[in-house]
Amino acid sequence: MYRLVGAAGRAADPVPAAVAPLLAAHRAACPQADGAALLRAYAVAERMHRGQLRKSGAPYITHPLAVATILAGLGLDTDTLVAALLHDTVEDTPYTLAEVRAGFGEEIAALVDGLTKLDGDRWRGRAEAETFRKIVLAAAADLRVLVIKLADRLHNLRTLGYQPPHKRARIARASHELFVPFADRLGIHVLKREMDDLAFAASAPEAHAATRDAVDAALREAPAVFAPAVARVRAALAEQGVAAEVTVRVSHLYAVHTSTGGDLAGLRPCQVARLLLVVDGAEQDCYVALGAVHAALHPIAGRLVDHIAMPKHNLYRSLHTRVIAPAGDPMEVIVRSRAMHPVAEHGIVAHIRAAAGDGAAAGAATGRRDLDWLRRLLAWQADAPSEGFLDSLRADLADGGLTVYTPCGSIIPLPPGATALDVAYALGTDTGDHSIGALVNGRPSPLSAEVRDGSLVEVLTDPRAAPSPGWLDFAVTAPARVHLARVLAADGAERAAAAGRDRLARALAGRLDLLGAEARGAALAVARDLGFLEVDELYAALDAGAVGLADLVARLTAR
């Protein structure tokens, strides 16, 4: 142990050696931060987890401490780090949420609550799905819940070697399908890249090793390919009077694996690295720098993507272009300003860091209206049953791949294979329910028509139109499929109830007025006697054969 120096030079209480790296990382990013709250949280977490061990045999406290240290390295605020230290206490120890609230305040208690898994015994097979739904809802209130969860998963991936093979495969798959996409949606690419590669190593160790070796071999040739390109770009920038840092950025292994489809033969340096220009200047200087790049290196037509004018779903802003390097290789170049760079690397974390002091950090992570993906996710998750919720979530988080536009200027990201119907539902459930077709790039198209990247799509509607069961055959996105399933199920229930009621009315003809029995509550009383909350449920059960007609007639006529 060593001592921190307190106010007026007084020696503070001894600091456990285990927590010293966390305090140092936090002080490096937040020099004015008070470490007292961290020390109190560490003391609670260490005491509550005492005697618990990780699969590696290490004391369990090493896990929350590592999670908090990852977040400290990102520059997160004190409250976030305290919540990270306590994030497993309510779930795995006798420590209660009320104790968190009493000891550390409502804000930290809300973060810990959002991270606490639901009781598996109570929720049974629905626990995993409903836990993810809980995290999504908590993240809507404070995105730091999701940031802590990502750091938690990153540390679990770092220590995945201690898990049995079947569990390694499951954790790696879930990481690629759920956690990596969440990191991408929040723009935290420093976490996304490491999680990608760790999950890749766990799920496909041979492919990971082969990719690593191929990338290492390609990078040995990189100076000969990139040095002439960098020299030309720097000279062109100087001619334009633009100051910029020009570096070679190496892609992470999983990105190389997916971009090559695993075909690593003859891998070239430009397939594993690209040029990054960070411009010292305003937004317009990025476009001047882009012009300098195109003057120095021949641009490839149709390969310019402007994410400054049209930011990505995760607030990412940069210019992407492809050029021909002096050696003849296609080369990707990224241009962004110095102000854009922190968000490009750290996403939402950069906004939280930029908040003035810990007290404003929550405001930087809550109530954001510029994250359309979260708004859409919140809209459809409420209607999604536990069964199939994770599949819908995976589909919704899958890489966009496509971007389509509408005449009113809306920009809609979609997964590959998306149709005009998906565009309709992305514009709102009312538009989707009443859609009858679309104009894709000015040409009439059915709702089942697949849309292409960059298409201009105008949805055609009719107020008399309604969803058809056949739409589920070509709806791709989670919002469309979840809404359609709910609407069609409700329609089916209404039809079944109407058919059951009609059958009962015919059986009662001449003996009892069914409408009168409904009006005086006799029908509802019989329904409740049989375990149904509503009369329509009873009628639907009759139509399905779950309730006998003769028995129902006897019960009603006896009242």
Side-chain angles (χ1 to χ4, degrees):
M1 294 186 180
Y2 68 92
R3 295 180 181 272
L4 289 178
V5 176
R10 295 191 305 272
D13 292 335
V15 174
V19 81
L22 170 61
L23 289 170
H26 190 36
R27 285 281 172 81
C30 307
Q32 304 304 315
D34 179 8
L38 288 183
L39 290 173
R40 283 198 303 115
Y42 172 79
V44 169
E46 194 281 328
R47 183 178 76 253
M48 299 311 301
H49 288 297
R50 194 173 297 161
Q52 296 177 349
L53 299 177
R54 299 272 287 169
K55 289 286 186 181
S56 63
Y60 193 88
I61 187 60
T62 58
H63 170 65
L65 190 57
V67 173
T69 304
I70 290 169
L71 296 168
L74 293 175
L76 268 299
D77 58 285
T78 303
D79 284 352
T80 304
L81 305 189
V82 169
L85 286 169
L86 300 172
H87 79 272
D88 277 336
T89 54
V90 174
E91 181 180 323
D92 293 336
T93 80
Y95 201 59
T96 67
L97 197 61
E99 289 176 291
V100 177
R101 188 175 293 110
F104 298 94
E106 183 60 45
E107 189 173 306
I108 290 171
L111 293 172
V112 173
D113 185 32
L115 292 158
T116 302
K117 292 179 183 176
L118 296 173
D119 185 354
D121 292 336
R122 177 182 173 188
W123 290 86
R124 300 186 184 278
R126 297 183 296 150
E128 184 180 14
E130 291 304 321
T131 293
F132 265 99
R133 195 196 305 267
K134 179 185 177 186
I135 290 171
V136 168
L137 292 172
D142 193 329
L143 285 167
R144 291 178 297 175
V145 170
L146 202 45
V147 177
I148 297 170
K149 190 65 180 177
L150 293 174
D152 172 64
R153 175 50 59 112
L154 175 57
H155 183 248
N156 283 333
L157 285 170
R158 287 177 177 176
T159 57
L160 200 54
Y162 295 103
Q163 297 287 354
H166 71 280
K167 197 167 184 180
R168 285 202 299 269
R170 179 177 61 79
I171 293 173
R173 183 172 63 254
S175 298
H176 270 147
E177 292 177 348
L178 292 170
F179 290 94
V180 168
F182 268 129
D184 179 69
R185 292 298 187 273
L186 294 178
I188 314 176
H189 291 108
V190 290
L191 296 187
K192 174 184 183 294
R193 288 190 287 263
E194 187 176 355
M195 284 196 291
D196 249 344
D197 283 354
L198 290 170
F200 179 31
S203 60
E206 293 181 0
H208 178 271
T211 305
R212 182 193 59 221
D213 293 344
V215 167
D216 288 345
L219 289 177
R220 285 194 285 271
E221 303 176 33
V225 172
F226 281 98
V230 170
R232 290 191 187 185
V233 168
R234 285 176 174 161
L237 290 170
E239 288 181 12
Q240 296 297 323
V242 176
E245 179 184 3
V246 183
T247 58
V248 177
R249 171 68 66 89
V250 178
S251 300
H252 63 290
L253 296 182
Y254 188 68
V256 174
H257 172 74
T258 53
S259 66
T260 61
D263 182 6
L264 303 171
L267 197 64
R268 297 284 295 154
C270 289
Q271 292 177 277
V272 303
R274 51 202 176 172
L275 287 188
L276 172 63
L277 278 64
V278 179
V279 177
D280 294 318
E283 182 177 298
Q284 57 265 33
D285 293 311
C286 293
Y287 292 96
V288 177
L290 176 68
V293 170
H294 285 172
L297 303 168
H298 185 70
I300 300 175
R303 299 306 299 270
L304 171 63
V305 181
D306 188 346
H307 288 306
I308 293 179
M310 293 180 293
K312 295 180 69 175
H313 53 258
N314 55 16
L315 313 180
Y316 175 90
R317 302 179 75 215
S318 293
L319 300 170
H320 287 233
T321 188
R322 285 185 74 82
V323 297
I324 302 297
D329 294 286
M331 174 185 292
E332 183 174 7
V333 182
I334 301 173
V335 182
R336 66 176 67 124
S337 71
R338 187 73 59 184
M340 297 170 191
H341 189 60
V343 178
E345 292 295 299
H346 295 97
I348 191 65
V349 170
H351 290 281
I352 299 172
R353 279 201 313 247
D358 287 354
T366 59
R368 299 195 66 93
R369 296 292 178 263
D370 46 1
L371 294 175
D372 287 342
W373 65 269
L374 182 58
R375 176 179 53 78
R376 291 195 305 271
L377 175 53
L378 290 170
W380 69 257
Q381 65 80 29
D383 293 328
S386 296
E387 301 77 13
F389 174 71
L390 288 179
D391 288 338
S392 296
L393 183 59
R394 291 184 189 100
D396 197 39
L397 293 174
D399 288 338
L402 303 177
T403 300
V404 302
Y405 305 89
T406 67
C408 64
S410 296
I411 303 170
I412 302 174
L414 294 167
T419 64
L421 181 64
D422 294 305
V423 177
Y425 276 108
L427 294 172
T429 54
D430 190 60
T431 300
D433 287 347
H434 297 105
S435 58
I436 57 174
L439 296 177
V440 180
N441 297 323
R443 301 181 63 179
S445 301
L447 291 171
S448 59
E450 288 192 18
V451 294
R452 298 183 180 276
D453 190 37
S455 294
L456 178 67
V457 181
E458 179 180 358
V459 177
L460 306 176
T461 61
D462 184 329
R464 298 166 297 180
S468 164
W471 286 7
L472 281 171
D473 294 337
F474 51 84
V476 173
T477 60
R481 294 191 63 82
V482 168
H483 176 77
L484 279 172
R486 183 179 63 82
V487 169
L488 293 172
D491 288 347
E494 287 179 9
R495 287 193 296 271
R501 186 186 186 283
D502 184 60
R503 184 181 173 196
L504 179 61
R506 289 197 304 271
L508 290 170
R511 303 172 61 186
L512 179 69
D513 176 20
L514 179 56
L515 185 60
E518 291 171 340
R520 67 175 186 271
L524 179 59
V526 170
R528 296 284 172 82
D529 287 345
L530 294 173
F532 300 99
L533 292 177
E534 302 293 340
V535 174
D536 281 349
E537 295 178 10
L538 172 63
Y539 296 156
L542 175 62
D543 181 64
V547 173
L549 178 61
D551 177 57
L552 189 53
V553 168
R555 288 174 180 269
L556 281 169
T557 54
R559 285 186 175 267

